[in-house]
Structure formats: C-alpha cells, structure tokens
Amino acid sequence: MAFELEALVGHLYIVGGRVINVNPPGALVEVAPPTAAEGREGDTFFLLIAPSGSIAPTTFYQQLARLAAERYFSIGGSVTIALRAMFQLINRNLYEHNLEHMDSEQQQFETSMIAAVLHEDDMYVARVGPVVSVLQTAGLTLTFPEDLSDDEPLFSVPLGLLPEPEISMVRYGVNAGSRLLLSDGNLADITTDRLTSVLLENDIEKVLHSLRRTIKIQSQLMLVELVPPDYESAVLAAPGESSHEVSMKLGAARQQLEMEMDGARRKLPGRGNFGMLLRWGLGQFAGRIAGVLIFFADLFQRFFPLPEITPTRRLSAGTLILTVLLIPLLIASIVVLSWVSNLGETEFEQCLGKLQETASLARSLDTSNRRSVTSAWRAALQVAEACDVMRSDDPAVAAMRHEAQTLIDAINNVKRREVIPLTNFEDAVISRLRLQGTDLYALDDKNDLVYSIKLSDDGKAPLRQEPISLMRIGATHEGGYTIGQIVDIAFDDHSGDLAMLDRNGTLVRCSTQFILNCDAQRVLNANNWERPIALTIWARKLYILDSEAGQIWRYDPSGSSYVSAPREYFAGSARPNLRNVVDFTISQKGTVYVLYDDGVMKAYIGGNESPFVFSGFNEGSEPHVVHTQGFYLNDSPFAPGFFIISRRTRAIYETTVAGTFMDSYQAFDQEKLELVSAVVAYPEQNLVYVASGNTIFGIDMELG
C-alpha cells in the first residue's frame, strides 16, 4: 500500500496561554528524499521536539530536527532500526556536549522527542522523554503511553542525560481518516474522552480550534490526518511534496546510484587485500602529487626556458627535473606508507580512550540509580564492541567488557552459563520438548515429526537419537488413520506412554520402552475444534486447548480409549480469550496454568480463575515487558517452580510456583538462544534443556 495515503498536517503552538502563529521550532514533516536509503523510499517522517530543562534558542531545535530527519532517511533496514539509530545519534551528540562542558558555565542541552513514520499502512511512533501521541482510527482512541495518568512511563528520561536513550516504540495499523496527535506532555492533562470527542471533529482545522480552547497555558503539538492521494482538503494549506511524486524519482535515482557504486567497486580494491589497497592508495596519491609538480614544472619552463646547449647540458637539465619530481614522490610515498601502517593503531587508541572515559563515567554514577548505571555500562559494552572490530582480543578491552557485563548482570540478577549443544536436526524447527526420566522428545514443527533422544544417566550427552516413524505427518496406522499436521505431544503419567495429537483429532500413543509399539484412534467432535494448539494429559484425561474457541476440551477415558464426546472446561458463555496463548499445563493438584505470549500467566481451578501474578522481577525484566515463548512447570519435590523463556532477552527466568522471581539465566554466547522456543528441566541433575531453531542445548544451572 505504499503511497496510498497522504498526510494533512497542522500545528498548534501555545506559550503562556497565547497562541503563536508559527510552527513549533522542533516540528518537522518530511517525505523520503531521492537519496533515501533502501527501505526508506516510501516513508513519511513526522517529528516533534519539545524543550526539556533550560530553553535553547529556536535555531537549536530546528537544526536538531533536520539532523534527525537526515539520519533517519540515511539508515536502511526496518523502520524500528532507523528510528533507534536516529534517537541514538541525537542523544549521543547532546550527551557528549553535556559531558564535555559539565564543569563549565556553558548551557546543558536536553530535549524530549517524539517521532512517527508512515510506512505503507502502518504508523510507527517512537518517544523519549515526557511526550505523548494520540491516534484516532477505526473508532478507537489509542494513547502512547497507554495510560496517560501514570507518571512513570510518561515522564521518562529526556535525551542528553544518559549514555543510551530509553526509547519506547509502538506500531499501529492506519487507514484513510486516521488522525494522529504528537504533543508535549501537557496533552496528558486532557481526559481520553475529551481527546476522543476533539479528534472526531469534521476537519483538522476544527480539531486544532477545539484543542486551542482546551489547552490553556502551554503546548506544542502536531496534528496529522491521513487521506487518499486525490483528497481535496477544504482547509487552506501550504502544498508539500507528494510521496507519489517522490516515488517516481526514487527508482531512477537509486538505479543510477547503484550503477555508480558498482563502477566504484570495480575500481577500488577490497578491504581485505591490504597490499592492493596500499598500492592503489600510493598510486592515487602519487599521481595527484605528480600532476601538481608537473604543472609547476611546465609553468617554470614557460617563464624560464632552458637554453639550447649541448646534449650533455640537456641531460643534466632532464636529470634535474627528474630529481625534482622523484624526491617529492618518494617522500610522499614514505608518508603515505607510514600513515597507512599506523592508521589502525591511532583509531584503536582513540576508541580505547573513549571506552575508558565511558567506563569511568559508569563507575562514578550512584549505584542506587539502577537504570542510569545499567545504561552507562551498556554504552561501555557498545564502545567495546567497536574497539573489538579494530583490534580483537585486546586484554584492556576484554577486561572492561567483562567488568561491564558482570556489573549489568549483577544489577539485573542474571547468571551467565555455558550453553552446550546437545543435538541438532537438519532443516528442523523445534517447538516442543518433553522429558521423561532420561528420555527426551522433541516436536519438529516445520516437518511435523517427533524425535526421540536417549540421554546418558547424568543427562549431559545423547546416547542415540531417531525419528519416531509412527509420529510423523503421512504415517498410517491400523484402522485407516493417516497422521496430519501435528498439534502437540504429551506424557501420560499413568501409563508412561508418549501421546501425539494431530489437527484431525488422531491421537497416537506409543510405549516409551518400545517406541514402535503404538496405537491410534480418532477422538470425537474434532471437527468442532477451531484451532487446537496444545495437549496435556492429567489423571488420564485429555485436555486440548482450542485458542480460537476460547475453550479447553476435556476427554474422559474409557479403559485405554477415549470414546465419549468432550466436555467444556470453561462452563457458560464467559470464556477467556485464549488467542495469544503459547502453552498450558496442569499441576499435580489440578491447577491449570495458561501462559500468553505477552508474558501474562493465568491460573484456573475447576474452570474458575484463581489469583496469580508474577512478582519480584527487576524493572524491565518482568514477563509482560520481555514477552514469552514458552514455559515448563517443575512439579517435582526438587525446587518446584516455573521456567519461562523469552526470545526478546534470550533468557530463561526461574520462579516459584507462586510466580516469585528466583533467578534468570543467559548464555555467554547470546546468539545461541536467538530463536529459543521451548524449555524443560531435569531438576535431579540441575539441568535445563532449551530448543533454539534446530538445536537442543543443555545448561548446567550450577556451573557458570
């Protein structure tokens, strides 16, 4: 839908109760320039900068806004990456200025900033400091932060005060008629009901007029209305450049730029070829010097021509000119060679100095200010990574990186562990893990196949692994049952069997002692399921979570079969919303625990919700902040509790059964848990197994 929406933009600038008939100095709207990076071509960028602390001159905010726009459109990739890079650049400039002039009388700069990007039919909003947005779309009024009456998220730290900005982002779907307000924090004083009625006015001129009457003292805001490209506004407005017109220019401009870059690449040697790079640099530099010297030689010859004398004399003059040319070239070559050979060392020393300065600042901060200390040490880690690129394995950089990571981990109660690959499967995506003694089972969600892994007695090595041929898509069973898309696997603690369920309602149970000894049956009313996603067996009963139906279907056993129709676990018409559930389980006492992808856990007893809340987590690491991909209930006598995984933080969180935080674990090599998707625990051996992509890893909880 690129370029199917255009923006009508209005501004309101109130100072001391008086309306100023100019745009706020930090307000800017810009469509993608022809030189925009790949991924930015169709974006429309909205920015509002609000003063914080002492007020700077108007030109300061104008220049800052232009710098932010230039930075945003120069970064390729996703919108969020570009927005984050833009905020980090502005913050770094302000922070370094404030740090440099901390003890002088020069003005300290800090600002609040909110930016929005229209990208196809999505609106991205990012903010730092006490600034807010309000979106009115499809009859909904959505504020960011979500609760404007809550001071903590609203009054976040402005830019320029911390080494790393605290950036909050949100994405909305928008369409023609959607209206977006970007404002300083004064808008939070208006109730949501009043904001809704104001934003539903007929046109943006009336919206601005209503806001002018509502806001009495101070305000800087930008109002955006999204309209079709051919929309004719009844409000007189200065014409801007249409993104339709910009899009016509971008293709040719980018093609030309790529052709020029390809030509440049053919001419320039690769970075890794130092010898060729050095020869190319010396040749280019020497050529320029030679050209200059030849020009002066010609000029000298024109005004002071050499006399026509004997060949011997002519040879002497030629030798003189040759000497005049070669000596400077030789000197230039030596200088260039020296410069090239020492360049990396100079840059590294500058980087090391920056790292030491950042670390010194972090050490000087009050340790009771957890957020600031963490941000400062994270900034030190970023500088250390940059230094590593210039010179890897430098002991000074390694020591400061270790210091930074250790202190951050201590603040956040993180324990670093070696994550050892246990086994992996070609072209697989492991979505479920189940453990019974030393038998580990994995569901490959990509190929709809179940694997069996036999572990050593200590649980640290696989003795053998194999696919279970009767638990795979397309497998046939006696009775004419063919396995379809697999929903989940579970253990029947009563019989010790491994059970598998497909979307057609085919239930397969195999003996763990003789994995090829299986039986299959079709449970009743599977055609009434809407979206089954998880299976649990408790007290021989089947529990199947149907996320779209908002129900858990319960099948009672009859001997070794399930021949009766299912009963509903949630009685009545008031069913919970289960659409974002990632997994569920049942404790030995019969409590049903349901985990959502947003980190919310709910507990039910007999179909009725029971109070449950996570507690004791550090700020920023709460499950509802980091989001979750799966969990495991350790219901054994060995330290019972939950293990919860988060892909966003690549971490494993351990809590009590009541939800109280105990520990969090992260890998020394964080990339290993980039795709973490499932977890089980082997408490008798203090081991945890996690799946990430096609690999199962083992983690010893006791050893760092």
Side-chain angles (χ1 to χ4, degrees):
M1 290 185 62
F3 309 117
E4 292 188 9
L5 293 175
E6 298 289 349
L8 299 177
V9 180
H11 300 88
L12 184 60
Y13 188 18
I14 302 176
V15 178
R18 184 169 62 92
V19 176
I20 309 298
N21 291 320
V22 296
N23 293 346
L28 178 143
V29 181
E30 189 170 319
V31 296
T35 56
E38 188 172 359
R40 303 281 73 77
E41 302 97 329
D43 294 356
T44 305
F45 179 75
F46 309 91
L47 183 73
L48 183 70
I49 300 175
S52 180
S54 58
I55 307 300
T58 297
T59 54
F60 168 78
Y61 301 107
Q62 294 171 340
Q63 292 172 359
L64 209 59
R66 286 195 292 270
L67 176 63
E70 290 172 2
R71 178 63 171 173
Y72 174 78
F73 284 113
S74 68
I75 301 295
S78 69
V79 173
T80 55
I81 288 175
L83 282 171
R84 190 170 298 277
M86 180 267 291
F87 274 99
Q88 288 172 338
L89 172 69
I90 300 300
N91 184 77
R92 183 168 63 250
N93 288 346
L94 297 177
Y95 180 76
E96 289 179 352
H97 169 87
N98 294 341
L99 191 66
E100 182 179 354
H101 301 287
M102 184 182 300
D103 299 326
S104 68
E105 296 182 357
Q106 290 198 29
Q107 183 176 0
Q108 301 286 292
F109 293 121
E110 58 182 85
T111 64
S112 300
M113 182 184 296
I114 186 166
V117 174
L118 176 61
H119 180 83
E120 298 184 351
D121 57 349
D122 286 324
M123 183 70 78
Y124 294 78
V125 182
R127 56 179 289 273
V128 174
V131 281
V132 302
S133 73
V134 183
L135 177 70
Q136 210 290 322
T137 183
L140 299 174
T141 301
L142 306 172
T143 62
F144 182 46
E146 186 174 349
D147 184 2
L148 297 183
S149 63
D150 188 350
D151 289 345
E152 184 173 353
L154 174 61
F155 292 99
S156 59
V157 181
L159 295 169
L161 297 182
L162 295 176
E164 283 296 307
E166 297 177 353
I167 307 169
S168 302
M169 293 192 193
V170 69
R171 183 179 73 175
Y172 304 108
V174 293
N175 50 36
S178 297
R179 286 174 175 169
L180 175 71
L181 263 178
L182 305 179
S183 173
D184 57 20
N186 294 303
L187 199 70
D189 296 332
I190 305 175
T191 65
T192 303
D193 291 341
R194 176 58 181 161
L195 286 172
T196 300
S197 64
V198 167
L199 288 172
L200 290 175
E201 295 281 2
N202 290 336
D203 55 57
I204 63 172
E205 185 179 33
K206 291 182 179 178
V207 174
L208 291 172
H209 181 69
S210 296
L211 288 169
R212 187 182 302 124
R213 287 182 300 156
T214 304
I215 301 171
K216 302 298 183 183
I217 305 298
Q218 193 88 10
S219 180
Q220 294 187 34
L221 61 84
M222 176 190 297
L223 173 64
V224 179
E225 180 175 351
L226 303 180
V227 297
D230 56 354
Y231 178 81
E232 295 184 4
S233 173
V235 181
L236 294 178
E241 188 174 11
S242 168
S243 57
H244 277 279
E245 298 172 2
V246 172
S247 66
M248 301 298 291
K249 304 173 186 176
L250 284 173
R254 185 170 297 284
Q255 186 176 6
Q256 179 65 26
L257 181 61
E258 289 176 354
M259 291 174 60
E260 294 173 357
M261 290 298 293
D262 287 341
R265 291 189 192 102
R266 287 194 293 271
K267 295 176 184 178
L268 291 173
R271 277 191 173 190
N273 192 336
F274 178 77
M276 186 177 291
L277 179 64
L278 180 59
R279 290 193 296 273
W280 178 87
L282 291 174
Q284 294 288 316
F285 186 78
R288 297 295 177 87
I289 294 294
V292 173
L293 293 174
I294 290 172
F295 169 78
F296 280 108
D298 289 342
L299 191 64
F300 184 86
Q301 176 102 8
R302 179 174 299 177
F303 288 101
F304 305 99
L306 294 174
E308 295 284 346
I309 53 177
T310 64
T312 304
R313 181 73 176 211
R314 190 175 298 117
L315 179 61
S316 178
T319 303
L320 178 62
I321 293 175
L322 188 62
T323 303
V324 168
L325 292 177
L326 285 178
I327 290 177
L329 285 178
L330 182 60
I331 294 173
S333 299
I334 293 172
V335 171
V336 171
L337 180 62
S338 175
W339 175 77
V340 171
S341 62
N342 289 303
L343 177 61
E345 182 179 357
T346 302
E347 286 184 342
F348 174 77
E349 288 175 350
Q350 291 175 351
C351 186
L352 185 59
K354 181 66 175 178
L355 176 58
Q356 292 169 340
E357 176 185 320
T358 307
S360 296
L361 174 65
R363 295 186 192 104
S364 69
L365 295 176
D366 183 0
T367 55
S368 63
N369 191 338
R370 175 182 167 274
R371 181 181 296 180
S372 297
V373 173
T374 302
S375 297
W377 281 114
R378 282 178 178 161
L381 282 178
Q382 291 179 348
V383 178
E385 290 174 4
C387 297
D388 259 339
V389 174
M390 300 174 191
R391 182 184 297 176
S392 59
D393 300 326
D394 183 84
V397 175
M400 275 185 276
R401 186 197 303 108
H402 181 267
E403 178 185 4
Q405 191 64 70
T406 301
L407 289 170
I408 291 173
D409 289 347
I411 292 172
N412 294 324
N413 291 323
V414 172
K415 294 181 177 179
R416 293 281 162 181
R417 294 291 183 264
E418 288 291 348
V419 177
I420 309 299
L422 187 72
T423 186
N424 62 74
F425 308 96
E426 185 177 355
D427 194 35
V429 176
I430 305 301
S431 61
R432 285 283 196 268
L433 293 176
R434 302 292 184 236
L435 183 68
Q436 184 80 348
T438 57
D439 294 318
L440 180 63
Y441 299 90
L443 171 59
D444 175 4
D445 192 52
K446 182 177 181 179
N447 301 296
D448 287 289
L449 168 65
V450 180
Y451 287 96
S452 169
I453 304 102
K454 182 64 177 179
L455 301 174
S456 58
D457 290 339
D458 62 3
K460 295 182 178 180
L463 300 180
R464 66 176 184 273
Q465 64 183 49
E466 58 185 347
I468 302 177
S469 58
L470 295 177
M471 287 186 173
R472 67 184 307 158
I473 192 168
T476 58
H477 289 261
E478 185 178 349
Y481 302 117
T482 301
I483 304 303
Q485 187 176 1
I486 299 176
V487 173
D488 200 0
I489 55 177
F491 276 110
D492 184 344
D493 291 332
H494 177 78
S495 65
D497 292 343
L498 175 70
M500 182 223 75
L501 182 74
D502 74 2
R503 293 192 182 279
N504 301 319
T506 304
L507 177 70
V508 178
R509 296 194 303 175
C510 300
S511 169
T512 56
Q513 299 298 320
F514 305 97
I515 202 65
L516 295 180
N517 182 16
C518 304
D519 64 74
Q521 68 174 97
R522 185 70 52 83
V523 298
L524 295 179
N525 292 359
N527 57 313
N528 293 333
W529 300 346
E530 295 187 38
R531 187 170 176 266
I533 66 165
L535 166 71
T536 290
I537 301 177
W538 180 79
R540 300 182 60 203
K541 300 181 180 69
L542 295 183
Y543 289 81
I544 300 166
L545 189 144
D546 189 342
S547 61
E548 287 294 326
Q551 189 58 264
I552 296 176
W553 306 107
R554 183 172 63 189
Y555 289 83
D556 295 322
S558 176
S560 60
S561 302
Y562 298 89
V563 296
S564 59
R567 291 187 292 161
E568 295 181 339
Y569 180 75
F570 298 110
S573 58
R575 300 176 180 178
N577 182 356
L578 302 176
R579 289 182 179 175
N580 296 318
V581 168
V582 293
D583 201 0
F584 86 114
T585 193
I586 304 177
S587 72
Q588 293 180 2
K589 296 180 179 179
T591 303
V592 174
Y593 294 97
V594 177
L595 180 68
Y596 292 77
D597 63 2
D598 62 2
V600 172
M601 178 94 84
K602 292 189 176 182
Y604 298 92
I605 299 176
N608 299 313
E609 186 170 355
S610 178
F612 182 91
V613 63
F614 288 117
S615 62
F617 285 80
N618 284 333
E619 181 184 1
S621 65
E622 304 94 332
H624 72 272
V625 174
V626 302
H627 291 197
T628 50
Q629 274 64 51
F631 78 131
Y632 173 78
L633 171 60
N634 171 27
D635 218 5
S636 75
F638 294 89
F642 291 103
F643 290 90
I644 304 162
I645 53 174
S646 169
R647 189 173 297 168
R648 179 177 295 182
T649 57
R650 305 178 188 183
I652 305 164
Y653 299 93
E654 183 180 6
T655 75
T656 65
V657 176
T660 304
F661 174 86
M662 293 177 62
D663 281 307
S664 62
Y665 303 89
Q666 291 184 348
F668 287 111
D669 183 359
Q670 283 286 72
E671 291 185 1
K672 290 182 177 179
L673 300 185
E674 183 178 7
L675 301 175
V676 62
S677 55
V679 59
V680 293
Y682 189 179
E684 293 84 355
Q685 297 290 346
N686 288 314
L687 294 174
V688 168
Y689 304 105
V690 292
S692 180
N694 70 339
T695 304
I696 300 174
F697 296 95
I699 304 174
D700 192 327
M701 311 303 282
E702 293 299 321
L703 300 178

